[in-house]
Amino acid sequence: MFRNLFFAALAAALCAGLLVSAIQHFRVTPLILHAETFEGEAGHSHGAGADAHDHEAEVEAGEWAPQDGAERTAYTVLANLLAAAGFALLIGGVSALANLPIDTRTGWVWGAAGFAAFVLAPAYGLAPELPGMPAADLFARQLWWIGTALATGAAILLLARTRAPWAVAVAVALVAIPHIVGAPAAPDEPSAVPAHLAAEFAAAAIGTSAVFWLVLGTVFGGVNTYLAARPAASVNGVKA
């Protein structure tokens, strides 16, 4: 079973990672490159604060980054494949530990649950951001994102195991608590990035993530079902 889950996870990661990389290349990356042209255009007349931001920009400019074009695309594809493999192995492990099968019938449900936990719930408080937009402290954002994803995932898993009234109440509380606490607020600083560009990027990023998760779950379930049926389809090497 674990071998089947492992190979199903790799197949799902390959499909989802390559597909989402293609979508990002044509739909998301152009928005990021467009936003990068606005970096540094806001906040030039803020005295010492501006000098500090300029210094940080210079430090960041000196750090290594992949070149635009083929190198940047290659690293994006690699990152997507690694992320897809990690998420696929995660849902495979949860499926095995919770004794909740992931197959052809339930694969898309797993994908939808992953999208809700890792994208939709965190995005409600922290929308996808473009370069050049003001943002809160990185560690605080990461901590809130992880807590929100874990709480939402736990709520979904609890409801998948039982629909008792107490479970529904606990699940609602788990989903609500991170948003009651609130995501780290971005500083009130001007940004040269147009609002319509930020909104378009957020919609494109969330939509791309939805495709990623649905493909990941559906392919995982389909391949897992196929691999699980193979031993039963043959006896002593002869097909039944």
Side-chain angles (χ1 to χ4, degrees):
M1 181 184 68
F2 288 105
R3 183 185 61 182
N4 290 346
L5 286 174
F6 178 77
F7 283 112
L10 292 184
L14 184 63
C15 293
L18 292 178
L19 178 59
V20 79
S21 296
I23 297 175
Q24 285 179 340
H25 180 74
F26 293 104
R27 188 69 184 89
V28 179
T29 301
L31 299 176
I32 296 175
L33 295 177
H34 187 192
E36 288 178 349
T37 64
F38 295 97
E39 285 189 290
E41 293 187 11
H44 288 298
S45 59
H46 293 283
D51 293 337
H53 286 298
D54 291 342
H55 175 70
E56 291 176 2
E58 292 174 0
V59 173
E60 291 177 358
E63 296 178 353
W64 178 89
Q67 297 295 320
D68 291 340
E71 184 177 357
R72 185 168 185 165
T73 300
Y75 276 100
T76 298
V77 173
L78 178 60
N80 286 334
L81 289 173
L82 292 175
F87 282 126
L89 292 172
L90 175 63
I91 63 176
V94 172
S95 170
L97 293 175
N99 195 27
L100 294 170
I102 176 169
D103 51 31
T104 305
R105 183 176 57 87
T106 62
W108 72 271
V109 178
W110 279 93
F115 171 71
F118 292 100
V119 180
L120 202 57
Y124 186 77
L126 290 175
E129 299 168 347
L130 281 168
M133 296 177 62
D137 177 70
L138 177 60
F139 178 75
R141 284 183 291 150
Q142 290 175 333
L143 189 63
W144 187 87
W145 186 95
I146 292 172
T148 302
L150 290 177
T152 307
I156 295 172
L157 184 59
L158 179 61
L159 291 179
R161 297 289 297 173
T162 178
R163 301 295 177 84
W166 68 266
V168 175
V170 171
V172 170
L174 285 172
V175 172
I177 286 174
H179 301 285
I180 294 174
V181 172
D188 187 14
E189 297 177 354
S191 173
V193 178
H196 71 86
L197 184 62
E200 185 178 359
F201 173 75
I206 293 174
T208 302
S209 296
V211 173
F212 169 84
W213 276 103
L214 290 177
V215 171
L216 188 74
T218 301
V219 174
F220 197 139
V223 174
N224 192 43
T225 298
Y226 169 75
L227 294 176
R230 287 182 63 188
S234 60
V235 179
N236 296 327
V238 180
K239 289 187 178 181

